[in-house]
Amino acid sequence: MKQYAVIHAVAGLFEGYSDTTCEFFPKRGFAEKHIKQLLDDYRKDEMCVCIEHQDGSDAEITITGRYEDYKACVPSDMEHDDWVADNGDDVSVVVVRLIELDMSNRSDSTESCWLTWDQLEARQAWDYTPLCMSLVARVSSDVMDNDQSVHALEQLTDFISSVYYGDHAFIDVDDYVMHAFRMPKPQNSDSYDA
């Protein structure tokens, strides 16, 4: 059994990076339709100057308030990537990613699994979907290995609370910026919560 997640995120640490969203779909076609709708909405936005779309499952969207400057410079004076590098303070790059999740090992579990998202790299953080306790243990270990400041411990406390009481957890400690999204339970499972 598979599920499909669509991540919609600002790449890296551009403005709005903490607003990353994830939606889950039971079928790939539903996820691809959602991506198409997102891209159609961006195409209508004059601030959207470039959409790079690969194979129906991933897209990178460049947004800027200086869209007139972009149209004047690209492609006549410079390449897209060069323009983005030169105008980084006025540009945001948004990513849309389709992630296929194998749910075959979840049929008997009553505990939630989590999809992890590495905000800095704009990709799935881990190659597995941990259960709540394993997510908390690994993030705690990562944070304690790198930063034991009061700020880091406050962030970790908020993250752990979000894991146990919410559907989305977020941690931002120096170069460790990650979102975790609670995956829906398989339909017709004997889980204790929906």
Side-chain angles (χ1 to χ4, degrees), residues 8-21:
H8 183 206
V10 172
L13 296 179
F14 285 104
E15 184 69 31
Y17 72 94
S18 62
D19 297 330
T20 295
T21 62

Side-chain angles (χ1 to χ4, degrees), residues 1-8 21-35 56-58 97-103 106 115 124 129 181-186:
M1 171 189 307
K2 295 188 185 218
Q3 268 189 18
Y4 300 88
V6 174
I7 299 279
H8 183 206
T21 62
C22 179
E23 294 189 51
F24 293 93
F25 299 90
K27 296 186 178 176
R28 184 179 185 98
F30 296 156
E32 289 173 345
K33 183 177 180 181
H34 180 66
I35 290 172
S57 62
D58 291 333
R97 299 269 189 268
L98 176 74
I99 300 172
E100 183 177 291
L101 303 162
D102 182 8
M103 306 302 291
R106 293 218 38 230
L115 172 63
Q124 187 174 349
T129 53
F181 300 97
R182 183 186 305 267
M183 296 166 54
K185 304 274 174 128

Side-chain angles (χ1 to χ4, degrees), residues 120-193:
L120 297 175
E121 299 295 325
R123 63 178 172 80
Q124 187 174 349
W126 304 334
D127 61 354
Y128 65 99
T129 53
L131 297 172
C132 295
M133 285 299 294
S134 142
L135 172 65
V136 166
R138 179 158 176 193
V139 170
S140 297
S141 175
D142 290 348
V143 169
M144 295 310 292
D145 287 347
N146 295 302
D147 186 351
Q148 296 179 11
S149 69
V150 171
H151 170 72
L153 295 177
E154 288 172 346
Q155 286 281 312
L156 182 58
T157 300
D158 290 345
F159 181 86
I160 292 169
S161 179
S162 295
V163 167
Y164 288 106
Y165 298 112
D167 291 333
H168 172 236
F170 175 67
I171 190 161
D172 181 356
V173 179
D174 290 333
D175 292 335
Y176 192 83
V177 185
M178 187 179 75
H179 294 268
F181 300 97
R182 183 186 305 267
M183 296 166 54
K185 304 274 174 128
Q187 285 186 327
N188 303 322
S189 71
D190 292 330
S191 61
Y192 297 125
D193 56 0

Side-chain angles (χ1 to χ4, degrees), residues 42 45 47-50 61-66 83 90-94:
Y42 278 113
D45 186 345
M47 291 176 51
C48 174
V49 294
C50 182
I61 302 109
T62 305
I63 301 169
T64 182
R66 300 180 60 193
W83 188 88
D90 299 313
V91 176
S92 288
V93 177
V94 175

Side-chain angles (χ1 to χ4, degrees), residues 30-119:
F30 296 156
E32 289 173 345
K33 183 177 180 181
H34 180 66
I35 290 172
K36 181 184 178 315
Q37 181 60 51
L38 287 171
L39 296 179
D40 287 348
D41 290 345
Y42 278 113
R43 286 184 184 101
K44 295 174 191 170
D45 186 345
E46 65 183 8
M47 291 176 51
C48 174
V49 294
C50 182
I51 297 177
E52 295 177 348
H53 192 51
Q54 302 96 14
D55 70 28
S57 62
D58 291 333
E60 292 184 3
I61 302 109
T62 305
I63 301 169
T64 182
R66 300 180 60 193
Y67 53 89
E68 292 157 347
D69 179 55
Y70 179 87
K71 292 174 182 172
C73 294
V74 179
S76 63
D77 293 342
M78 61 177 60
E79 302 257 335
H80 169 76
D81 291 344
D82 294 334
W83 188 88
V84 169
D86 287 351
N87 295 277
D89 292 340
D90 299 313
V91 176
S92 288
V93 177
V94 175
V95 295
V96 177
R97 299 269 189 268
L98 176 74
I99 300 172
E100 183 177 291
L101 303 162
D102 182 8
M103 306 302 291
S104 59
N105 62 343
R106 293 218 38 230
S107 60
D108 297 329
S109 177
T110 59
E111 192 175 356
S112 294
C113 286
W114 292 78
L115 172 63
T116 54
W117 179 256
D118 182 332
Q119 185 64 40

